[in-house]
Amino acid sequence: MSPPRVAVIGGGVAACSLAHGLRDSLASRAVSLHVFEMGRASGGRAATRGTRDDPGLRVDHGVPAFAALTPEFGALCESLVAADVLRRCDGDGSAFGVLRSSGTFEAEDAAGAPTRYRPPVGKGMNALCDGLLGGESTLANFTPGTMVTKVEPVAAQWRLTSKGGVDLGTFDWLVVSSTGLAHPRWRTTFGGEPPLVEAAAALGDTALDATLAALAPLQSKPVTAAMLAYGSDAAAAWASLPFFKAQVEADPVLSRIVVQRVSQSLTAVVLHSTHEFARSAAHVYGATSTAARIAGAKSDAGEEGRILDAMLVAAEKRLGGLLGPAAAMRSPAWGPHLHRWGAAFPDAPLLPEGRAVVPSARVAFCGDFVEGGEGRGGSVEGAALSGLRLAKALQREIGGLCGAD
């Protein structure tokens, strides 16, 4: 008898944490897990951007580092440090702080700072999700570059179809780790009804209807990211800045600046917008973004240039006293490229934990948009804990699963 098949939509931190939580069950073939991700690789908002022009370039354009506040997540992160998947941001030059309106940088008080993690030297943040999946020895099936646009209830199973009309198979359980498939935002981004909402109307499951109704009011705070990379003398000039990640004080355009030394001759820079600025450019996704490249979301090239220029102007004003002419801000070796995180930070009301698993419909939800009681919604930690909780819940719901650590 074949094991129960679980399909997961989205390959971010929550989905990969779910796979990690089910690793013993996967090893014993008590369950089969298949993750479908729209991007080129795992990670979601914790993905690493690369380019064919320079295989050595890595840009963590969503999550450059993250904090661990709970014992459970801290223990998981320490296990990943031991496996060379992560490193601690302590004493490694990972300075955090605030870029004041005066143009000066004020480092945070290290004594009161949370424990943070980032990728090891030579790796990008996608190492986190790759590590959670198990690396080369992963037992989960992972299919990148695939946008699921149709889910159908068929004889107590779920049939999935891709944007290109490809039948992706039938599954016993459907896990949604990214809200788009089930949220009204799908209508404005891609057009038409959200696939799971459309399927639920045909299914007539009152518990699923209640969960979708609870999810619908969820709001998200968007962020627009401008990505650049600098070589030679400019790389050294940017790397000489006194911070790795700086919050930008009282700026209408920029919320934070991240500087990542990729190698001795290459430095990546990511400018993150404020939520308000991103909302003013809601129709621009970035020509090279996954939403535009895979899903067909429209992006106006003229508007994209205007947005990038506004972000660069803001960076020039704030960094003018810290960067010399050698930084060549307007002459990057790569970029600038724009990427819109339309659902960067989920906002209240989050999906109640009690609504996250719907056994009658064999549908479940995990992600930083699920309220888990730790107060970590909207964070990498919240996403990971949600995936781990769901692993335990699925073990209870699907008979014969072995226990996870």
Side-chain angles (χ1 to χ4, degrees):
M1 183 177 179
S2 60
R5 304 184 72 215
V6 179
V8 186
I9 312 302
V13 172
C16 296
S17 297
L18 170 62
H20 181 80
L22 291 174
R23 62 195 182 281
D24 292 339
S25 300
L26 291 169
S28 65
R29 299 183 62 82
V31 67
S32 169
L33 192 73
H34 200 137
V35 180
F36 296 96
E37 163 60 32
M38 193 164 66
R40 291 188 176 98
S42 66
R45 282 165 283 161
T48 299
R49 179 71 174 266
T51 173
R52 295 185 182 90
D53 298 334
D54 186 347
L57 177 61
R58 300 177 303 277
V59 184
D60 293 324
H61 56 313
V63 178
F66 58 86
L69 304 185
T70 63
E72 181 180 8
F73 187 55
L76 173 60
C77 290
E78 287 301 313
S79 72
L80 294 173
V81 169
D84 195 35
V85 171
L86 296 173
R87 61 171 160 146
R88 295 183 210 91
C89 297
D90 51 5
D92 68 343
S94 302
F96 296 78
V98 179
L99 198 54
R100 297 297 184 189
S101 300
S102 61
T104 59
F105 174 71
E106 183 178 317
E108 69 177 4
D109 180 7
T115 302
R116 295 192 183 93
Y117 299 88
R118 63 182 294 195
V121 175
K123 296 182 181 180
M125 186 55 79
N126 60 345
L128 169 61
C129 282
D130 288 347
L132 290 169
L133 285 171
E136 294 182 358
S137 60
T138 181
L139 297 171
N141 298 296
F142 188 90
T143 302
T146 302
M147 181 182 182
V148 177
T149 56
K150 189 174 184 179
V151 294
E152 302 172 90
V154 179
Q157 289 186 310
W158 288 94
R159 176 182 293 152
L160 276 56
T161 305
S162 74
K163 184 177 184 292
V166 176
D167 183 353
L168 301 173
T170 56
F171 300 86
D172 299 292
W173 274 79
L174 174 65
V175 174
V176 179
S177 71
S178 176
T179 58
L181 193 78
H183 194 272
R185 187 175 59 253
W186 180 282
R187 300 184 185 112
T188 56
T189 305
F190 305 120
E193 280 294 289
L196 187 54
V197 172
E198 187 174 17
L203 185 62
D205 184 285
T206 57
L208 179 57
D209 292 340
T211 290
L212 292 175
L215 182 65
L218 174 73
Q219 299 297 311
S220 295
K221 299 176 181 178
V223 171
T224 296
M227 302 170 287
L228 312 96
Y230 297 87
S232 303
D233 293 343
W238 279 96
S240 69
L241 285 171
F243 61 84
F244 163 63
K245 177 182 174 183
Q247 293 182 337
V248 182
E249 181 184 53
D251 192 283
V253 177
L254 296 182
S255 65
R256 66 181 183 181
I257 299 174
V258 177
V259 180
Q260 301 167 286
R261 190 71 184 265
V262 179
S263 67
Q264 286 298 108
S265 60
L266 193 62
T267 298
V269 177
V270 184
L271 311 176
H272 295 263
S273 78
T274 61
H275 301 312
E276 293 74 17
F277 183 79
R279 289 190 185 101
S280 73
H283 56 296
V284 182
Y285 294 89
T288 61
S289 68
T290 298
R293 184 174 50 84
I294 298 294
K298 303 300 181 183
S299 188
D300 185 294
E303 281 293 286
E304 187 171 333
R306 180 190 67 78
I307 293 165
L308 286 169
D309 184 67
M311 296 179 73
L312 286 169
V313 167
E316 287 169 336
K317 290 180 179 178
R318 191 55 61 100
L319 293 172
L322 296 173
L323 278 177
M329 187 180 296
R330 294 281 179 160
S331 302
W334 177 83
H337 294 295
L338 182 146
H339 184 99
R340 175 179 172 80
W341 298 106
F345 297 96
D347 203 2
L350 301 181
L351 180 67
E353 177 67 19
R355 296 285 187 189
V357 181
V358 187
S360 56
R362 294 189 176 187
V363 175
F365 297 80
C366 64
D368 62 350
F369 59 91
V370 178
E371 178 55 69
E374 308 92 351
R376 297 297 286 147
S379 69
V380 170
E381 182 167 18
L385 293 175
S386 176
L388 295 174
R389 285 195 305 271
L390 182 56
K392 295 176 182 178
L394 285 180
Q395 288 171 328
R396 292 191 296 267
E397 295 295 339
I398 301 176
L401 290 185
C402 62
D405 295 339

